[in-house]
Amino acid sequence: MATEIGLAQGIDLQRSTVALLTELGVPLVVAQVLWMLLPMVAIVLVATVGALVCTWLERKISAAAQQRIGPEYAGPFGLVIPIADVAKLLVKGNLVPASADPLLFSLAPAIVFISVFLCYLVVPFGQNLLISNLGTGIFFIIAVSSIAPIGLLMAGYASNNKYSLLGGLRAAAQSISYEIPLALAALAVAMMSNGLDTVQIVHQQEGLGLLTWNVWRQPVGFVIFLIAALAECERMPFDLPEAEEELVAGYQTEYAGANFMLFYGGSYANLFLAGLLVSVMYLGGWSLPVPIEAIGQALRIAPTEPLWQVVAALLGITMMLLKTFAFIFFAILLRWTVPRVRIDQLLDLGWKFLLPIGLANLLVTAALKLAFPGAFGG
Amino acid sequence: MATIETRAERMILNMGPHHPSMHGVLRLIVTLDGENVVDCEPVLGYLHRSMEKIAENRTVVQYLPYVTRWDYLATMFTEAITVNAPEKLADVPVPKRASYIRMIMLELSRVASHLLWLGTFVADIGAQTPFFYVFREREMIYDLFEAATGMRMMHNYFRVGGVAADLPYGWVDKCEDFCQYFLPKVDEYERLITNNPIFRRRVEGIGTITRDEAIAWGLSGPMLRGSGVQWDLRRVDRYECYDELDWEVQWETAGDCLARYFVRVREMRESTKMVLQCLRQMPGGPYENLEAQRIAGGPKSEWNGAEYQFISKKPSPTFKVPKGEHYVRVEAPKGELGVYLIGEDSVFPWRWKIRPPGFINLQVLPQLVRGMKIADIMAILGSVDIIMGEVDR
């Protein structure tokens, strides 16, 4: 138990940063305000870099799937391509169609983008490596991410374009129908960990490493979550709102320049977020396949050793990113492998298949929790 | 009699001529009720280039470079019909070797056309990747064309009474290599696509045409064979030397997009097998280039005989289309490609009416998409396989 307490304290960047600043003679209040800026910048950076890496991966993996090479000359392995993308889109003119509603048209991408970025607030990369440890973490994500469809609908309606309108309507219908199975799958996990707290969910999976990850205890929920997450991100088998062959680009049709970048970046940030959520909820978050305490004990290192704590935190972040990018790899490979479903098939899958199975899964989880409190988080 | 109207207002959506999946410049005026298609009206003519009128003051040889722009993905067939029509009217015999070379080229062209169709069809449903796989194989066919004709797409290879040039040395081996390589690749596509549940759901039972409807609409090619009619002009008309090959007419009975997919995929296999047979049975010996042999053999060479005379030697700049009129057709990958030719004993034809398969097959589209979803328009349009170059001419 001692190790657990040691890890639970872990690295507390907030305390140490504030302590460092006050030692330097900064007043406590100012130090705390300064501290608040740090994670904000950090999270925006993490989300943006994550999204950029996703776009690069999309190019490279699609190229590999299609027997191409993909970006090659822009930096090593074409790594500079995402930056070139951003630079191009920032420099491009920000067109607003003459007959569009200018206010709603400009507001929509911001709403989508902000709602995605807000979700990163509660995503933990380590014991204390998150912005705010809300008691309602998962609920917060589900609530905030359901603001995005309003932005999509807004974009579709404000563009005054029929393709955009159809795309916006599809986006709204799709988000609403897949939010519910997603929430049900998340609820089953929350039930097992006795709370909606993201850190708590990871802790509850840490016990025996790989063996106690939720993916083994919630296989059905895992699959539901994967499908619903792909649908929420509008990824390939479910990318109907922007189906190129049908709706040109859906709600994005009229967008250009920075506004388009917000949609584009937002969708990849959303994919990255979905990957992070999958790893937090089902793949043990930052925990290693072998419990970190066991490694520490095997190496005869005290868990309170500062260097060891830094190493453990870095290992945790690496694990988290590995799991996340495994999901993203899966999503990208899927995008370049399968055809697109039709809107009625999509809604059928959501309402007639995922929803009942999600409910049954919740019920079974509750029953198992009562029957085997040890294994299913009593 | 007050009733409450709950019906939403219908939306009229103008798809095309610039739309990612309108296969060129087709324009569909679609009436939508939500996601449901109430009506659809194709608007044609954005690629009209007066192909029929141009033919009226061109000799056959002059006109040949134009015809590959009708159906620019199955170019050999347009050339074949352009030389077949005057040939048949003037009763010009075609030497056997030339006929075999023509068959090889036609079947390779059919494979190339079906390959591109497969790529765009699956891309229309949303899977982009197979497009790159089919281009890998199509590229090889075009390399073969380039080696034999000097051009990849606009070959200008067929001539009245024969072909423009004999096959170059080693071409037969290369072609056989391709066929052996290609057959397993078709299996690969099938493994990738055929049993994909999403693909199945998107095409099975979509765009169904019954046997009677297909005949009544005048459909041809895979559209007709997919609906349970065993109608293949290679069998029916017995042109070129198709009778000397061992092959089956591929057909299906369901009449939906999936049936048309099966017909085309199987036709790719069948055509490849036909090419292999042609390569083995080709008269005049498959390995040599006759022109070189003929020059080397001097005037007494057997390759100077009547049986080989039209291969690469006698083009026909002043060939006169004799007086008379008739209709000639070939089985193009898209269906029955025909020409109604009226000659008046001049180097120019008096009338050159083209019957493009895509144009006739496209007529059935509004009936097929009525009552379906928007996404089905793309699946059905993809399965019809139109090329706007030949629809608008």
Side-chain angles (χ1 to χ4, degrees), chain B residues 62-99:
Chain B
Q62 277 180 324
Y63 188 52
L64 267 168
Y66 290 80
V67 300
T68 40
R69 275 84 174 171
W70 303 349
D71 180 351
Y72 41 81
L73 298 177
T75 42
M76 288 293 181
F77 291 90
T78 58
E79 291 186 7
I81 194 65
T82 307
V83 298
N84 276 3
E87 245 171 30
K88 294 259 169 73
L89 198 60
D91 256 341
V92 178
V94 181
K96 206 140 197 205
R97 183 176 169 88
S99 183

mmCIF file of all heavy atoms in Angstrom, chain B residues 62-99:
data_model
loop_
_atom_site.group_PDB
_atom_site.id
_atom_site.type_symbol
_atom_site.label_atom_id
_atom_site.label_comp_id
_atom_site.label_asym_id
_atom_site.label_seq_id
_atom_site.Cartn_x
_atom_site.Cartn_y
_atom_site.Cartn_z
ATOM 1 N N GLN B 62 -8.504 9.739 -91.672
ATOM 2 C CA GLN B 62 -8.485 11.052 -91.038
ATOM 3 C C GLN B 62 -9.317 11.061 -89.767
ATOM 4 O O GLN B 62 -9.018 11.776 -88.815
ATOM 5 C CB GLN B 62 -9.062 12.101 -92.002
ATOM 6 C CG GLN B 62 -8.077 12.632 -92.996
ATOM 7 C CD GLN B 62 -8.741 13.654 -93.908
ATOM 8 O OE1 GLN B 62 -9.914 13.520 -94.271
ATOM 9 N NE2 GLN B 62 -7.988 14.655 -94.288
ATOM 10 N N TYR B 63 -10.374 10.274 -89.781
ATOM 11 C CA TYR B 63 -11.313 10.317 -88.659
ATOM 12 C C TYR B 63 -10.821 9.481 -87.475
ATOM 13 O O TYR B 63 -11.208 9.736 -86.331
ATOM 14 C CB TYR B 63 -12.689 9.829 -89.133
ATOM 15 C CG TYR B 63 -13.780 10.005 -88.103
ATOM 16 C CD1 TYR B 63 -13.978 11.234 -87.499
ATOM 17 C CD2 TYR B 63 -14.610 8.954 -87.734
ATOM 18 C CE1 TYR B 63 -14.961 11.424 -86.555
ATOM 19 C CE2 TYR B 63 -15.604 9.128 -86.799
ATOM 20 C CZ TYR B 63 -15.771 10.368 -86.209
ATOM 21 O OH TYR B 63 -16.741 10.545 -85.282
ATOM 22 N N LEU B 64 -9.969 8.510 -87.760
ATOM 23 C CA LEU B 64 -9.556 7.589 -86.678
ATOM 24 C C LEU B 64 -8.999 8.285 -85.431
ATOM 25 O O LEU B 64 -9.303 7.857 -84.319
ATOM 26 C CB LEU B 64 -8.541 6.584 -87.215
ATOM 27 C CG LEU B 64 -9.174 5.291 -87.713
ATOM 28 C CD1 LEU B 64 -8.169 4.477 -88.488
ATOM 29 C CD2 LEU B 64 -9.714 4.475 -86.559
ATOM 30 N N PRO B 65 -8.190 9.335 -85.558
ATOM 31 C CA PRO B 65 -7.698 9.960 -84.324
ATOM 32 C C PRO B 65 -8.799 10.570 -83.460
ATOM 33 O O PRO B 65 -8.603 10.760 -82.274
ATOM 34 C CB PRO B 65 -6.749 11.054 -84.826
ATOM 35 C CG PRO B 65 -6.377 10.638 -86.187
ATOM 36 C CD PRO B 65 -7.548 9.912 -86.747
ATOM 37 N N TYR B 66 -9.952 10.887 -84.060
ATOM 38 C CA TYR B 66 -11.021 11.485 -83.264
ATOM 39 C C TYR B 66 -11.719 10.455 -82.378
ATOM 40 O O TYR B 66 -12.175 10.768 -81.302
ATOM 41 C CB TYR B 66 -12.082 12.107 -84.177
ATOM 42 C CG TYR B 66 -11.646 13.340 -84.919
ATOM 43 C CD1 TYR B 66 -10.889 13.248 -86.065
ATOM 44 C CD2 TYR B 66 -12.012 14.597 -84.458
ATOM 45 C CE1 TYR B 66 -10.499 14.378 -86.743
ATOM 46 C CE2 TYR B 66 -11.625 15.737 -85.136
ATOM 47 C CZ TYR B 66 -10.865 15.620 -86.280
ATOM 48 O OH TYR B 66 -10.486 16.741 -86.947
ATOM 49 N N VAL B 67 -11.822 9.226 -82.898
ATOM 50 C CA VAL B 67 -12.793 8.311 -82.285
ATOM 51 C C VAL B 67 -12.373 7.851 -80.905
ATOM 52 O O VAL B 67 -13.219 7.496 -80.090
ATOM 53 C CB VAL B 67 -13.040 7.081 -83.181
ATOM 54 C CG1 VAL B 67 -13.577 7.508 -84.512
ATOM 55 C CG2 VAL B 67 -11.789 6.247 -83.334
ATOM 56 N N THR B 68 -11.065 7.870 -80.637
ATOM 57 C CA THR B 68 -10.647 7.440 -79.301
ATOM 58 C C THR B 68 -11.128 8.408 -78.236
ATOM 59 O O THR B 68 -11.009 8.130 -77.054
ATOM 60 C CB THR B 68 -9.132 7.313 -79.235
ATOM 61 O OG1 THR B 68 -8.560 8.386 -79.958
ATOM 62 C CG2 THR B 68 -8.684 5.995 -79.813
ATOM 63 N N ARG B 69 -11.648 9.564 -78.667
ATOM 64 C CA ARG B 69 -12.183 10.523 -77.685
ATOM 65 C C ARG B 69 -13.656 10.291 -77.400
ATOM 66 O O ARG B 69 -14.239 11.058 -76.641
ATOM 67 C CB ARG B 69 -11.968 11.957 -78.183
ATOM 68 C CG ARG B 69 -10.623 12.532 -77.853
ATOM 69 C CD ARG B 69 -9.595 12.141 -78.834
ATOM 70 N NE ARG B 69 -8.314 12.820 -78.594
ATOM 71 C CZ ARG B 69 -7.192 12.511 -79.228
ATOM 72 N NH1 ARG B 69 -7.168 11.530 -80.100
ATOM 73 N NH2 ARG B 69 -6.086 13.150 -78.984
ATOM 74 N N TRP B 70 -14.274 9.297 -78.016
ATOM 75 C CA TRP B 70 -15.653 8.990 -77.595
ATOM 76 C C TRP B 70 -15.593 8.373 -76.208
ATOM 77 O O TRP B 70 -15.902 9.007 -75.229
ATOM 78 C CB TRP B 70 -16.337 7.974 -78.505
ATOM 79 C CG TRP B 70 -16.423 8.287 -79.958
ATOM 80 C CD1 TRP B 70 -16.150 9.482 -80.545
ATOM 81 C CD2 TRP B 70 -16.798 7.395 -80.995
ATOM 82 N NE1 TRP B 70 -16.352 9.383 -81.885
ATOM 83 C CE2 TRP B 70 -16.749 8.123 -82.196
ATOM 84 C CE3 TRP B 70 -17.195 6.069 -81.026
ATOM 85 C CZ2 TRP B 70 -17.063 7.534 -83.420
ATOM 86 C CZ3 TRP B 70 -17.517 5.496 -82.227
ATOM 87 C CH2 TRP B 70 -17.446 6.227 -83.424
ATOM 88 N N ASP B 71 -15.199 7.112 -76.207
ATOM 89 C CA ASP B 71 -15.042 6.430 -74.925
ATOM 90 C C ASP B 71 -13.549 6.316 -74.688
ATOM 91 O O ASP B 71 -12.903 5.390 -75.135
ATOM 92 C CB ASP B 71 -15.696 5.047 -74.989
ATOM 93 C CG ASP B 71 -15.561 4.317 -73.679
ATOM 94 O OD1 ASP B 71 -14.835 4.816 -72.816
ATOM 95 O OD2 ASP B 71 -16.172 3.239 -73.524
ATOM 96 N N TYR B 72 -13.027 7.285 -73.973
ATOM 97 C CA TYR B 72 -11.578 7.379 -73.859
ATOM 98 C C TYR B 72 -10.998 6.349 -72.893
ATOM 99 O O TYR B 72 -9.815 6.365 -72.613
ATOM 100 C CB TYR B 72 -11.154 8.787 -73.455
ATOM 101 C CG TYR B 72 -12.043 9.413 -72.400
ATOM 102 C CD1 TYR B 72 -11.892 9.104 -71.071
ATOM 103 C CD2 TYR B 72 -13.052 10.294 -72.767
ATOM 104 C CE1 TYR B 72 -12.718 9.658 -70.120
ATOM 105 C CE2 TYR B 72 -13.892 10.848 -71.821
ATOM 106 C CZ TYR B 72 -13.704 10.530 -70.493
ATOM 107 O OH TYR B 72 -14.530 11.068 -69.574
ATOM 108 N N LEU B 73 -11.827 5.484 -72.334
ATOM 109 C CA LEU B 73 -11.285 4.452 -71.457
ATOM 110 C C LEU B 73 -11.321 3.082 -72.116
ATOM 111 O O LEU B 73 -10.723 2.145 -71.610
ATOM 112 C CB LEU B 73 -12.063 4.414 -70.140
ATOM 113 C CG LEU B 73 -11.961 5.718 -69.375
ATOM 114 C CD1 LEU B 73 -12.797 5.658 -68.135
ATOM 115 C CD2 LEU B 73 -10.524 6.025 -69.036
ATOM 116 N N ALA B 74 -12.045 2.954 -73.216
ATOM 117 C CA ALA B 74 -12.038 1.702 -73.965
ATOM 118 C C ALA B 74 -11.775 2.063 -75.416
ATOM 119 O O ALA B 74 -12.611 1.875 -76.301
ATOM 120 C CB ALA B 74 -13.364 0.968 -73.806
ATOM 121 N N THR B 75 -10.599 2.613 -75.655
ATOM 122 C CA THR B 75 -10.309 3.274 -76.925
ATOM 123 C C THR B 75 -10.282 2.322 -78.101
ATOM 124 O O THR B 75 -10.651 2.691 -79.209
ATOM 125 C CB THR B 75 -8.964 3.976 -76.808
ATOM 126 O OG1 THR B 75 -8.079 3.110 -76.120
ATOM 127 C CG2 THR B 75 -9.099 5.249 -76.046
ATOM 128 N N MET B 76 -9.827 1.077 -77.857
ATOM 129 C CA MET B 76 -9.700 0.151 -78.968
ATOM 130 C C MET B 76 -11.045 -0.136 -79.612
ATOM 131 O O MET B 76 -11.137 -0.381 -80.809
ATOM 132 C CB MET B 76 -9.077 -1.159 -78.489
ATOM 133 C CG MET B 76 -7.611 -1.039 -78.174
ATOM 134 S SD MET B 76 -6.641 -0.726 -79.639
ATOM 135 C CE MET B 76 -5.001 -0.662 -78.958
ATOM 136 N N PHE B 77 -12.100 -0.093 -78.828
ATOM 137 C CA PHE B 77 -13.414 -0.438 -79.364
ATOM 138 C C PHE B 77 -13.921 0.635 -80.301
ATOM 139 O O PHE B 77 -14.546 0.338 -81.321
ATOM 140 C CB PHE B 77 -14.405 -0.656 -78.217
ATOM 141 C CG PHE B 77 -14.094 -1.883 -77.441
ATOM 142 C CD1 PHE B 77 -13.258 -1.844 -76.350
ATOM 143 C CD2 PHE B 77 -14.605 -3.101 -77.833
ATOM 144 C CE1 PHE B 77 -12.940 -2.983 -75.651
ATOM 145 C CE2 PHE B 77 -14.296 -4.249 -77.141
ATOM 146 C CZ PHE B 77 -13.454 -4.186 -76.045
ATOM 147 N N THR B 78 -13.655 1.886 -79.968
ATOM 148 C CA THR B 78 -14.112 2.943 -80.862
ATOM 149 C C THR B 78 -13.375 2.844 -82.190
ATOM 150 O O THR B 78 -13.976 3.062 -83.253
ATOM 151 C CB THR B 78 -13.862 4.311 -80.215
ATOM 152 O OG1 THR B 78 -12.478 4.445 -79.934
ATOM 153 C CG2 THR B 78 -14.631 4.449 -78.934
ATOM 154 N N GLU B 79 -12.093 2.501 -82.129
ATOM 155 C CA GLU B 79 -11.354 2.331 -83.383
ATOM 156 C C GLU B 79 -11.885 1.129 -84.135
ATOM 157 O O GLU B 79 -12.028 1.166 -85.367
ATOM 158 C CB GLU B 79 -9.870 2.132 -83.087
ATOM 159 C CG GLU B 79 -9.219 3.375 -82.540
ATOM 160 C CD GLU B 79 -7.735 3.207 -82.386
ATOM 161 O OE1 GLU B 79 -7.206 2.170 -82.834
ATOM 162 O OE2 GLU B 79 -7.102 4.094 -81.819
ATOM 163 N N ALA B 80 -12.174 0.062 -83.419
ATOM 164 C CA ALA B 80 -12.653 -1.152 -84.069
ATOM 165 C C ALA B 80 -13.936 -0.872 -84.835
ATOM 166 O O ALA B 80 -14.069 -1.257 -85.999
ATOM 167 C CB ALA B 80 -12.880 -2.244 -83.031
ATOM 168 N N ILE B 81 -14.880 -0.156 -84.207
ATOM 169 C CA ILE B 81 -16.149 0.078 -84.885
ATOM 170 C C ILE B 81 -15.953 1.033 -86.053
ATOM 171 O O ILE B 81 -16.611 0.912 -87.096
ATOM 172 C CB ILE B 81 -17.231 0.594 -83.897
ATOM 173 C CG1 ILE B 81 -18.619 0.524 -84.509
ATOM 174 C CG2 ILE B 81 -16.956 1.974 -83.416
ATOM 175 C CD1 ILE B 81 -19.066 -0.873 -84.782
ATOM 176 N N THR B 82 -14.996 1.962 -85.908
ATOM 177 C CA THR B 82 -14.763 2.916 -86.993
ATOM 178 C C THR B 82 -14.206 2.236 -88.239
ATOM 179 O O THR B 82 -14.526 2.636 -89.355
ATOM 180 C CB THR B 82 -13.792 4.009 -86.510
ATOM 181 O OG1 THR B 82 -14.299 4.553 -85.309
ATOM 182 C CG2 THR B 82 -13.645 5.096 -87.530
ATOM 183 N N VAL B 83 -13.379 1.228 -88.061
ATOM 184 C CA VAL B 83 -12.908 0.529 -89.250
ATOM 185 C C VAL B 83 -13.857 -0.591 -89.653
ATOM 186 O O VAL B 83 -13.969 -0.909 -90.828
ATOM 187 C CB VAL B 83 -11.473 -0.017 -89.075
ATOM 188 C CG1 VAL B 83 -10.507 1.111 -88.849
ATOM 189 C CG2 VAL B 83 -11.404 -1.036 -87.983
ATOM 190 N N ASN B 84 -14.566 -1.160 -88.707
ATOM 191 C CA ASN B 84 -15.468 -2.259 -89.046
ATOM 192 C C ASN B 84 -16.605 -1.790 -89.952
ATOM 193 O O ASN B 84 -17.004 -2.505 -90.871
ATOM 194 C CB ASN B 84 -16.083 -2.869 -87.783
ATOM 195 C CG ASN B 84 -15.178 -3.892 -87.163
ATOM 196 O OD1 ASN B 84 -14.068 -4.109 -87.635
ATOM 197 N ND2 ASN B 84 -15.628 -4.523 -86.096
ATOM 198 N N ALA B 85 -17.125 -0.600 -89.685
ATOM 199 C CA ALA B 85 -18.296 -0.147 -90.441
ATOM 200 C C ALA B 85 -17.981 -0.046 -91.929
ATOM 201 O O ALA B 85 -18.661 -0.689 -92.744
ATOM 202 C CB ALA B 85 -18.794 1.178 -89.876
ATOM 203 N N PRO B 86 -16.937 0.716 -92.339
ATOM 204 C CA PRO B 86 -16.635 0.735 -93.778
ATOM 205 C C PRO B 86 -16.147 -0.607 -94.298
ATOM 206 O O PRO B 86 -16.474 -0.976 -95.439
ATOM 207 C CB PRO B 86 -15.544 1.791 -93.901
ATOM 208 C CG PRO B 86 -15.240 2.294 -92.576
ATOM 209 C CD PRO B 86 -16.089 1.623 -91.578
ATOM 210 N N GLU B 87 -15.416 -1.330 -93.482
ATOM 211 C CA GLU B 87 -14.923 -2.645 -93.895
ATOM 212 C C GLU B 87 -16.077 -3.551 -94.306
ATOM 213 O O GLU B 87 -16.066 -4.178 -95.364
ATOM 214 C CB GLU B 87 -14.234 -3.313 -92.701
ATOM 215 C CG GLU B 87 -12.774 -3.554 -92.855
ATOM 216 C CD GLU B 87 -12.176 -4.005 -91.539
ATOM 217 O OE1 GLU B 87 -12.885 -4.649 -90.736
ATOM 218 O OE2 GLU B 87 -11.009 -3.691 -91.301
ATOM 219 N N LYS B 88 -17.091 -3.588 -93.451
ATOM 220 C CA LYS B 88 -18.218 -4.473 -93.717
ATOM 221 C C LYS B 88 -18.998 -3.992 -94.926
ATOM 222 O O LYS B 88 -19.499 -4.777 -95.728
ATOM 223 C CB LYS B 88 -19.134 -4.525 -92.494
ATOM 224 C CG LYS B 88 -18.487 -5.183 -91.288
ATOM 225 C CD LYS B 88 -18.959 -6.617 -91.106
ATOM 226 C CE LYS B 88 -18.121 -7.357 -90.071
ATOM 227 N NZ LYS B 88 -18.402 -6.926 -88.703
ATOM 228 N N LEU B 89 -19.099 -2.647 -95.064
ATOM 229 C CA LEU B 89 -19.860 -2.100 -96.182
ATOM 230 C C LEU B 89 -19.149 -2.393 -97.496
ATOM 231 O O LEU B 89 -19.774 -2.704 -98.503
ATOM 232 C CB LEU B 89 -20.040 -0.591 -95.996
ATOM 233 C CG LEU B 89 -21.141 0.067 -96.826
ATOM 234 C CD1 LEU B 89 -22.481 -0.540 -96.504
ATOM 235 C CD2 LEU B 89 -21.184 1.562 -96.558
ATOM 236 N N ALA B 90 -17.818 -2.327 -97.481
ATOM 237 C CA ALA B 90 -17.057 -2.547 -98.703
ATOM 238 C C ALA B 90 -16.606 -3.995 -98.839
ATOM 239 O O ALA B 90 -15.913 -4.323 -99.793
ATOM 240 C CB ALA B 90 -15.845 -1.622 -98.726
ATOM 241 N N ASP B 91 -16.965 -4.816 -97.894
ATOM 242 C CA ASP B 91 -16.572 -6.222 -97.911
ATOM 243 C C ASP B 91 -15.058 -6.405 -97.988
ATOM 244 O O ASP B 91 -14.554 -7.213 -98.749
ATOM 245 C CB ASP B 91 -17.219 -6.943 -99.095
ATOM 246 C CG ASP B 91 -18.364 -7.796 -98.616
ATOM 247 O OD1 ASP B 91 -18.383 -8.090 -97.404
ATOM 248 O OD2 ASP B 91 -19.235 -8.153 -99.422
ATOM 249 N N VAL B 92 -14.339 -5.648 -97.174
ATOM 250 C CA VAL B 92 -12.882 -5.797 -97.146
ATOM 251 C C VAL B 92 -12.555 -6.978 -96.249
ATOM 252 O O VAL B 92 -12.990 -7.003 -95.102
ATOM 253 C CB VAL B 92 -12.221 -4.524 -96.600
ATOM 254 C CG1 VAL B 92 -10.712 -4.700 -96.526
ATOM 255 C CG2 VAL B 92 -12.583 -3.343 -97.453
ATOM 256 N N PRO B 93 -11.815 -7.963 -96.739
ATOM 257 C CA PRO B 93 -11.453 -9.083 -95.864
ATOM 258 C C PRO B 93 -10.340 -8.667 -94.909
ATOM 259 O O PRO B 93 -9.489 -7.847 -95.254
ATOM 260 C CB PRO B 93 -10.962 -10.148 -96.844
ATOM 261 C CG PRO B 93 -10.468 -9.378 -98.014
ATOM 262 C CD PRO B 93 -11.253 -8.107 -98.089
ATOM 263 N N VAL B 94 -10.378 -9.228 -93.727
ATOM 264 C CA VAL B 94 -9.337 -8.932 -92.732
ATOM 265 C C VAL B 94 -8.479 -10.174 -92.580
ATOM 266 O O VAL B 94 -9.010 -11.261 -92.339
ATOM 267 C CB VAL B 94 -9.959 -8.559 -91.376
ATOM 268 C CG1 VAL B 94 -8.885 -8.233 -90.373
ATOM 269 C CG2 VAL B 94 -10.900 -7.397 -91.535
ATOM 270 N N PRO B 95 -7.156 -10.058 -92.760
ATOM 271 C CA PRO B 95 -6.317 -11.236 -92.583
ATOM 272 C C PRO B 95 -6.403 -11.764 -91.156
ATOM 273 O O PRO B 95 -6.660 -11.026 -90.216
ATOM 274 C CB PRO B 95 -4.916 -10.737 -92.907
ATOM 275 C CG PRO B 95 -4.993 -9.270 -92.910
ATOM 276 C CD PRO B 95 -6.391 -8.887 -93.156
ATOM 277 N N LYS B 96 -6.172 -13.030 -91.041
ATOM 278 C CA LYS B 96 -6.402 -13.688 -89.772
ATOM 279 C C LYS B 96 -5.503 -13.146 -88.671
ATOM 280 O O LYS B 96 -5.929 -12.927 -87.556
ATOM 281 C CB LYS B 96 -6.168 -15.181 -89.925
ATOM 282 C CG LYS B 96 -6.937 -15.970 -88.921
ATOM 283 C CD LYS B 96 -7.510 -17.203 -89.554
ATOM 284 C CE LYS B 96 -8.601 -17.761 -88.697
ATOM 285 N NZ LYS B 96 -8.778 -19.188 -88.936
ATOM 286 N N ARG B 97 -4.242 -12.941 -89.025
ATOM 287 C CA ARG B 97 -3.323 -12.446 -88.006
ATOM 288 C C ARG B 97 -3.787 -11.083 -87.501
ATOM 289 O O ARG B 97 -3.778 -10.816 -86.289
ATOM 290 C CB ARG B 97 -1.913 -12.347 -88.560
ATOM 291 C CG ARG B 97 -0.897 -11.909 -87.501
ATOM 292 C CD ARG B 97 0.502 -11.914 -88.049
ATOM 293 N NE ARG B 97 1.426 -11.253 -87.136
ATOM 294 C CZ ARG B 97 2.055 -11.864 -86.155
ATOM 295 N NH1 ARG B 97 1.858 -13.140 -85.942
ATOM 296 N NH2 ARG B 97 2.882 -11.208 -85.364
ATOM 297 N N ALA B 98 -4.208 -10.237 -88.449
ATOM 298 C CA ALA B 98 -4.701 -8.916 -88.037
ATOM 299 C C ALA B 98 -5.926 -9.071 -87.138
ATOM 300 O O ALA B 98 -6.079 -8.368 -86.133
ATOM 301 C CB ALA B 98 -5.053 -8.087 -89.259
ATOM 302 N N SER B 99 -6.785 -10.003 -87.486
ATOM 303 C CA SER B 99 -7.975 -10.215 -86.672
ATOM 304 C C SER B 99 -7.594 -10.653 -85.255
ATOM 305 O O SER B 99 -8.187 -10.207 -84.271
ATOM 306 C CB SER B 99 -8.843 -11.265 -87.343
ATOM 307 O OG SER B 99 -10.022 -11.455 -86.625
#
